[in-house]
Amino acid sequence: MEIVGQLQKQFVDFSTSLYGEGFLDEQYLQLQKLQDESNPDFVCEVVSLFFDDSEKLLNNLATALQQQVVDFKQVDAHVHQFKGSSSSIGAQRVKNMCVAFRNFCEEKNLDGCLRCLQQLNHEYFLVKNKLETLFRLERQIVEAGGTVPVIVA
Amino acid sequence: MAVEDIGSGCSSSGDQEFHVLAVDDSIIDRKVIERLLKISCCKVTAVESGSRALQYLGIDGERSSLGFDELKVNLIITDYSMPGMTGYELLKKIKGSTKLRKIPVVIMSSENILARIDRCLEEGAEDFLMKPVQLSDVERLRDFMLRGGEDREVVGCKRKTRDDSCSSSVLSCDRDHPLSPISVSAMAHCKPISKRSRLLATD
């Protein structure tokens, strides 16, 4: 199998696993539909914004939870924002972790929140890694002269 | 899932280009809504807060703006949960302004809270969309603007839609439901059923 074919297969298999394992959901597919020749980097741009925003939020969360007196409303506000942005790009596992996190905020459960933050960090860096791999595969396909396969639900 | 021909929308409506003011504190959501609107051939101004929106519309303080026609805004679409001024507060300010109250306002939210939806619709919001907003939602908004943007009566759910799937609704609507005329916008058929029952009860 020539190189483009191999890369394309890798891409399809990898994408399928991301959806299958719940890293990405339908919303990521919706974003793909908004990308075209006039906006060929749309998804990558949105995801980059998500990466920057997320890392800020994770830092803000860590800081907020380290305060002598934790302001759970503020923590919740950050998590709410993170839930929104992860939902907007289809990062399903991150979003779900945010939902759990918000419950602990409501209960003002500091231990629960700290555990969630840890898990949230984990899920975020996992999906970041996976998305970077996905974008890398796309670039390799294009550089090898191929077209990126369209993933259909 | 077929690949949609997203390029066709721009040519079909002739010269009409709508100007939408999008308000959202999330940079990610601003980028997405901007793209959704541009694909639907709308001119977009995206701002990050209610106060910036009011500044743009020319009703902050006494500044009485450039001629209103110059920045004619056909629709305002705003997030509900924003720091400072919420989308609801922005809605109230717009509806409370003689200059701006005719501009239709659509609220977006990631949280499906009936009381919130009710409050917004009662304050005069045209529609309430669940996030993440889909292309079909924006296409519906475009249809609404094409119809003159002032549809305030609806009988039943006989609205003509290109795409009948209700991606932003909580519950699918029962289209055989014999609704008497209610004074909400034609787009509001996507409201949760309990909201519709409550409206019927007051008729």
Side-chain angles (χ1 to χ4, degrees), chain A residues 27 30 34 45 88 102, chain B residues 6 29 31 35 111 134:
Chain A
Q27 180 60 19
Q30 292 294 324
L34 305 185
E45 286 168 3
S88 293
R102 291 194 80 191
Chain B
I6 59 176
D29 289 349
K31 187 161 173 85
R35 181 77 190 125
E111 294 173 301
Q134 307 291 299

Side-chain angles (χ1 to χ4, degrees), chain B residues 100-115:
Chain B
L100 301 175
R101 66 175 176 222
K102 284 196 158 276
I103 307 178
V105 181
V106 171
I107 312 282
M108 306 179 278
S109 177
S110 55
E111 294 173 301
N112 175 34
I113 297 171
L114 279 189

Side-chain angles (χ1 to χ4, degrees), chain A residues 26-27 29-31 33-36 38-39 41-42 45-46 49-51 53-54 80-81 83-85 87-89 102 150-153, chain B residues 1-4 6-7 25-29 31-36 38-39 79 81-83 109-111 116 131-136:
Chain A
E26 163 76 25
Q27 180 60 19
L29 284 169
Q30 292 294 324
L31 287 187
K33 284 155 85 171
L34 305 185
Q35 184 164 287
D36 61 18
S38 66
N39 280 263
D41 300 314
F42 176 72
E45 286 168 3
V46 177
L49 288 172
F50 171 70
F51 288 162
D53 198 54
S54 301
H80 173 77
Q81 203 180 324
K83 177 175 159 256
S85 60
S87 163
S88 293
I89 69 140
R102 291 194 80 191
V150 175
I151 305 296
V152 175
Chain B
M1 178 171 57
V3 176
E4 296 168 7
I6 59 176
D25 61 312
S26 160
I27 189 171
I28 289 120
D29 289 349
K31 187 161 173 85
V32 175
I33 194 77
E34 192 170 12
R35 181 77 190 125
L36 286 169
K38 284 191 169 153
I39 282 174
D79 190 22
S81 308
M82 297 187 290
S109 177
S110 55
E111 294 173 301
R116 176 182 290 189
K131 281 180 155 185
V133 176
Q134 307 291 299
L135 195 53
S136 51

Side-chain angles (χ1 to χ4, degrees), chain A residues 8-124:
Chain A
Q8 286 170 330
K9 182 176 190 314
Q10 243 185 297
F11 177 82
V12 171
D13 289 346
F14 189 64
S15 298
T16 306
S17 76
L18 292 185
Y19 291 106
E21 290 163 31
F23 285 103
L24 296 177
D25 64 23
E26 163 76 25
Q27 180 60 19
Y28 191 79
L29 284 169
Q30 292 294 324
L31 287 187
Q32 300 289 355
K33 284 155 85 171
L34 305 185
Q35 184 164 287
D36 61 18
E37 308 82 51
S38 66
N39 280 263
D41 300 314
F42 176 72
V43 179
C44 189
E45 286 168 3
V46 177
V47 172
S48 297
L49 288 172
F50 171 70
F51 288 162
D52 290 342
D53 198 54
S54 301
E55 284 164 42
K56 266 190 223 128
L57 283 169
L58 286 167
N59 282 331
N60 291 343
L61 280 166
T63 303
L65 287 170
Q66 275 159 21
Q67 299 307 303
Q68 278 271 44
V69 181
V70 174
D71 180 352
F72 285 99
K73 267 201 151 139
Q74 181 62 261
V75 175
D76 184 70
H78 291 314
V79 181
H80 173 77
Q81 203 180 324
F82 206 164
K83 177 175 159 256
S85 60
S86 54
S87 163
S88 293
I89 69 140
Q92 191 180 61
R93 279 161 63 146
V94 173
K95 181 188 77 179
N96 290 342
M97 190 53 50
C98 289
V99 173
F101 201 151
R102 291 194 80 191
N103 289 332
F104 286 117
C105 289
E106 208 173 294
E107 292 166 19
K108 298 198 197 317
N109 180 336
L110 183 57
D111 279 342
C113 284
L114 288 167
R115 275 198 313 272
C116 269
L117 179 58
Q118 209 173 24
Q119 288 175 281
L120 190 55
N121 259 291
H122 177 72
E123 286 298 340
Y124 166 70

Side-chain angles (χ1 to χ4, degrees), chain B:
Chain B
M1 178 171 57
V3 176
E4 296 168 7
D5 178 8
I6 59 176
S8 61
C10 288
S11 45
S12 58
S13 59
D15 297 320
Q16 205 151 27
E17 198 191 35
F18 298 114
H19 182 197
V20 179
L21 176 64
V23 191
D24 200 315
D25 61 312
S26 160
I27 189 171
I28 289 120
D29 289 349
R30 276 201 306 279
K31 187 161 173 85
V32 175
I33 194 77
E34 192 170 12
R35 181 77 190 125
L36 286 169
L37 288 165
K38 284 191 169 153
I39 282 174
S40 307
C41 302
C42 297
K43 180 169 160 234
V44 189
T45 300
V47 298
E48 64 194 7
S49 68
S51 47
R52 288 286 294 115
L54 292 174
Q55 262 182 336
Y56 182 80
L57 294 163
I59 64 168
D60 66 327
E62 336 74 32
R63 220 190 81 204
S64 76
S65 76
L66 347 135
F68 182 58
D69 284 347
E70 285 162 39
L71 54 62
K72 174 131 180 82
V73 167
N74 300 102
L75 181 88
I76 296 166
I77 180 163
T78 177
D79 190 22
Y80 182 96
S81 308
M82 297 187 290
M85 191 188 302
T86 65
Y88 175 68
E89 286 158 355
L90 174 61
L91 168 68
K92 281 206 293 192
K93 290 208 146 76
I94 290 165
K95 293 302 168 187
S97 152
T98 35
K99 190 175 107 172
L100 301 175
R101 66 175 176 222
K102 284 196 158 276
I103 307 178
V105 181
V106 171
I107 312 282
M108 306 179 278
S109 177
S110 55
E111 294 173 301
N112 175 34
I113 297 171
L114 279 189
R116 176 182 290 189
I117 297 170
D118 282 357
R119 210 184 310 142
C120 290
L121 293 171
E122 275 157 23
E123 200 62 43
E126 294 304 324
D127 204 351
F128 192 100
L129 302 176
M130 292 303 297
K131 281 180 155 185
V133 176
Q134 307 291 299
L135 195 53
S136 51
D137 295 321
V138 175
E139 285 167 352
R140 214 170 71 219
L141 292 180
R142 189 178 163 75
D143 285 350
F144 168 74
M145 289 189 282
L146 273 170
R147 283 198 309 273
E150 285 180 42
D151 252 349
R152 298 220 57 130
E153 299 291 320
V154 63
V155 180
C157 289
K158 302 194 199 88
R159 232 169 20 87
K160 178 170 67 83
T161 45
R162 222 180 309 152
D163 172 12
D164 271 5
S165 68
C166 220
S167 59
S168 64
S169 70
V170 175
L171 302 164
S172 58
C173 111
D174 173 11
R175 286 170 200 272
D176 294 320
H177 204 334
L179 294 175
S180 50
I182 49 176
S183 57
V184 283
S185 114
M187 296 189 299
H189 88 289
C190 287
K191 291 199 299 282
I193 284 171
S194 60
K195 160 69 172 169
R196 213 177 316 119
S197 317
R198 200 180 69 90
L199 283 172
L200 285 176
T202 59
D203 264 0

